[in-house]
Amino acid sequence: MVSESNTAVSASPAEWQPSVNPWLVAVSVMLATFMVVLDSSVANVALPHIAGTLSASTDESTWVLTSYIVANAIMLPASGWIARRIGRKRLLMLSILLFTIASLFCGLAVNMPMLIVARVLQGIGGGGMQPLAQSILLESFPPHKHGQAMAFYGMGIVVAPVIGPTLGGWITDSYSWHWIFYINLPVGLLAMFMANLFVEDPPYLRQHFKGAIDYMGFSLMALWLGTLQLVLDKGQEADWFSTSWVAWTSAISVAALIGFIARELTCAEPIVRLHVLRDRNFAVSTVITTVFGFTLYGVTALLPLFLQTLLGYPALDSGLAVSPRGLGSLVAMMIVGVLVNYIDVRLLLAFGFFGFGCSTLMLSHINLTISMWTVAIPNFINGFAGGFIFVPLTTLAMGMLPRQEIGNASGVYNLLRNVGGSVGIATVTTMLVRGAQRHQNYLAANLSPANLQAQTFAKGLGTKFLMGGSDPVTSQLKAVGMLYRNLQQQASLMAYADNFRMLGYLALACLPLVLLPKRPRHQEKPSAEMH
């Protein structure tokens, strides 16, 4: 009887542990995840080179990014359902294999359609790996070590997007854009080998689900996410809802979302089990991570753009200027992985949002004469604070869920963070353009003959050009042109400052939300037996 009891306990979701050291499992899944997250940002700086080589326009080249993002987003929530059907280890290995093969075809692409198809396959393979890695880690480690596991996972998730643009710029300048995809081949093969060797499915996943496929749910989800991403990517160019196709596409997206929710709530075996949102901690944490995705992606999109367009930094120098964010995240992950076992995760989360908000507000004081250090220091603080958000928030979200629900919940959690990021990028891009126009109108109103300071400045410029050999008429035209160019720069600068200020206040607004979840039961200090 004792033997049977022990067997039952060992097979239960709460007690199961992998047969190998869980840190070997962590390295295996982190290697694959780091490759995927890095690839999502490494191609950004190579877009002009890709467009030139494949004889494509700038608009056409952006589909290299959009096609990947849409396919990735569709796979994020679907990964939990597929894992229940074929097994988590098998899905992980298939995802790595598909991503690696697609990377090869991306590098071999001879025209834009071939590259876009390969990027879609990359997105399908990569979309399943993030939630899979997260759920595998949370299941492989005992509950009191979830903080350490998420800290290790977070190193790749947070650091990879930071070093991606720098690495992509260096590879593109030194070799060719093809190599930003070829570098995935050895990493993918090694990740497959390690996953096959060390990753194993828990007992409750070994009896695979054999029910019918939720085709309707999957189709509605794909339609919702695809149309949403299309609107977010192209809305600003089309002047948003003043264009009929944007309005119709948005309506289709909203209708598909409503239909998807209704379908998943009534289907016997839904592709995404939305009932996990009944858990208070998971629901609140999902809202917080959506807002965090909005602010994080907004900041990371704005800063390199500011450095390159207004300060004239080349792509590589721009990447180096923002790289302290990765260093700050790395330091924070090592610290918070220990603190999460001894300090209430809600306090760590509050500290993270306070630091993230304040450091983003520091960036709102930018000007056209700042040094690289003026950017590097707030970036380091920003990355450091981000580490105190990512680990406690993930621990808080998953801490009250049954272990067999973690895979499904992880897909929903990661999807909404990415959706928040996409909305954040679209929002700050729109606010940047509209804000620059608004400030330009305000500043131009002061460039009148009645403004003696402006007239004196213009005359000084005219005299400078006149002394340089230009005739009086040409000198005056050059002076007016330079004055207008300075006005545009100042208007853009003010728009950037407005955006950083908005993102900083939004991060600080999350502070009251961290009080809503309950403290996870397993966060209590483990006893000696647990070690």
Side-chain angles (χ1 to χ4, degrees):
M1 288 292 291
V2 174
S3 176
E4 291 178 3
S5 176
N6 289 340
T7 303
V9 171
S10 64
S12 68
E15 299 294 333
W16 175 83
Q17 292 296 322
S19 58
V20 298
N21 189 310
W23 287 107
L24 292 174
V25 179
V27 173
S28 303
V29 298
M30 193 62 252
L31 189 63
T33 307
F34 184 84
M35 173 181 67
V36 171
V37 178
L38 181 68
D39 203 77
S40 65
S41 61
V42 76
N44 293 21
V45 295
L47 280 186
H49 298 267
I50 294 174
T53 304
L54 302 181
S55 301
S57 65
T58 303
D59 286 346
E60 289 173 335
S61 68
T62 58
W63 285 101
V64 173
L65 304 179
T66 306
S67 58
Y68 178 88
I69 293 171
V70 171
N72 194 279
I74 293 170
M75 276 300 297
L76 277 170
S79 60
W81 183 90
I82 300 172
R84 296 198 309 271
R85 186 173 182 86
I86 68 172
R88 193 165 289 151
K89 176 177 179 176
R90 186 178 299 173
L91 177 58
L92 177 65
M93 294 186 65
L94 286 174
S95 298
I96 297 172
L97 178 62
L98 179 59
F99 188 89
T100 306
I101 293 174
S103 298
L104 174 63
F105 283 106
C106 284
L108 295 173
V110 294
N111 53 50
M112 188 57 68
M114 180 178 175
L115 180 58
I116 291 174
V117 170
R119 286 288 282 175
V120 169
L121 294 176
Q122 257 196 331
I124 293 173
M129 276 193 259
Q130 288 187 48
L132 280 174
Q134 203 169 44
S135 53
I136 288 171
L137 282 176
L138 290 171
E139 289 176 339
S140 299
F141 283 82
H144 67 280
K145 290 188 176 181
H146 280 179
Q148 297 176 31
M150 284 300 98
F152 183 76
Y153 174 79
M155 287 182 188
I157 294 297
V158 178
V159 174
V162 177
I163 69 173
T166 306
L167 180 63
W170 177 78
I171 290 175
T172 303
D173 291 341
S174 303
Y175 301 97
S176 75
W177 64 265
H178 302 273
W179 283 97
I180 66 176
F181 299 111
Y182 289 149
I183 59 173
N184 292 330
L185 302 183
V187 180
L189 292 174
L190 179 60
M192 268 202 73
F193 173 77
M194 294 187 68
N196 183 53
L197 203 60
F198 301 122
V199 176
E200 56 187 283
D201 284 337
Y204 48 88
L205 274 178
R206 289 174 188 160
Q207 293 182 346
H208 308 317
F209 165 69
K210 301 297 183 183
I213 298 176
D214 182 15
Y215 290 110
M216 179 63 72
F218 185 83
S219 300
L220 288 169
M221 180 178 65
L223 181 61
W224 161 50
L225 292 171
T227 50
L228 173 65
Q229 193 63 49
L230 179 63
V231 170
L232 293 176
D233 281 349
K234 301 297 180 181
Q236 171 56 29
E237 297 175 18
D239 200 21
W240 293 106
F241 297 103
S242 61
T243 306
S244 59
W245 76 261
V246 174
W248 278 108
T249 307
S250 300
I252 292 171
S253 183
V254 172
L257 172 60
I258 295 172
F260 169 71
I261 294 174
R263 170 68 182 181
E264 300 310 280
L265 291 177
T266 56
C267 181
E269 286 294 340
I271 197 164
V272 180
R273 293 187 287 191
L274 297 179
H275 69 270
V276 291
L277 291 170
R278 296 174 185 167
D279 182 88
R280 175 174 157 185
N281 278 26
F282 182 74
V284 174
S285 299
T286 301
V287 172
I288 296 175
T289 199
T290 304
V291 179
F292 179 55
F294 185 104
T295 56
L296 175 65
Y297 283 84
V299 172
T300 53
L302 280 177
L303 198 53
L305 197 60
F306 165 75
L307 294 173
Q308 293 180 54
T309 58
L310 286 187
L311 298 189
Y313 281 32
L316 184 58
D317 289 347
S318 173
L320 291 173
V322 299
S323 58
R325 180 194 304 274
L327 180 61
S329 300
L330 192 64
V331 173
M333 294 296 179
M334 292 187 288
I335 296 173
V336 76
V338 177
L339 294 181
V340 77
N341 290 324
Y342 304 101
I343 300 177
D344 191 336
V345 289
R346 295 169 297 182
L347 296 177
L348 297 176
L349 197 55
F351 172 79
F353 273 111
F354 180 77
F356 193 92
C358 291
S359 59
T360 305
L361 289 175
M362 289 171 65
L363 291 171
S364 68
H365 298 290
I366 52 177
N367 57 62
L368 298 176
T369 60
I370 59 173
S371 66
M372 187 177 288
W373 282 107
T374 310
V375 176
I377 293 174
N379 255 292
F380 178 85
I381 300 172
N382 207 260
F384 185 81
F388 276 80
I389 295 174
F390 182 85
V391 176
L393 188 56
T394 307
T395 305
L396 200 61
M398 308 295 174
M400 306 292 282
L401 294 174
R403 294 181 77 178
Q404 60 268 32
E405 293 288 351
I406 288 177
N408 173 65
S410 181
V412 176
Y413 180 84
N414 282 280
L415 169 68
L416 290 178
R417 185 184 65 228
N418 288 2
V419 168
S422 296
V423 175
I425 292 173
T427 302
V428 298
T429 303
T430 301
M431 290 182 63
L432 189 62
V433 174
R434 304 292 171 90
Q437 292 171 346
R438 186 178 67 255
H439 287 300
Q440 183 174 323
N441 292 336
Y442 172 78
L443 294 173
N446 294 295
L447 293 180
S448 64
N451 191 319
L452 296 178
Q453 186 178 5
Q455 293 303 314
T456 302
F457 183 67
K459 287 180 181 178
L461 289 174
T463 302
K464 178 181 177 181
F465 289 124
L466 190 63
M467 294 176 62
S470 299
D471 60 81
V473 175
T474 304
S475 298
Q476 189 64 28
L477 291 174
K478 286 183 177 179
V480 173
M482 180 169 284
L483 190 62
Y484 180 64
R485 188 160 56 250
N486 287 341
L487 181 145
Q488 287 181 309
Q489 287 181 328
Q490 290 297 327
S492 295
L493 176 67
M494 295 169 73
Y496 277 105
D498 289 344
N499 272 278
F500 283 123
R501 197 174 297 113
M502 180 269 294
L503 293 170
Y505 287 137
L506 186 60
L508 294 176
C510 289
L511 287 173
L513 293 178
V514 306
L515 301 176
L516 298 179
K518 301 176 182 177
R519 185 175 182 176
R521 290 187 297 268
H522 65 249
Q523 206 207 358
E524 298 176 2
K525 187 175 179 180
S527 61
E529 298 87 29
M530 297 176 74
H531 291 285

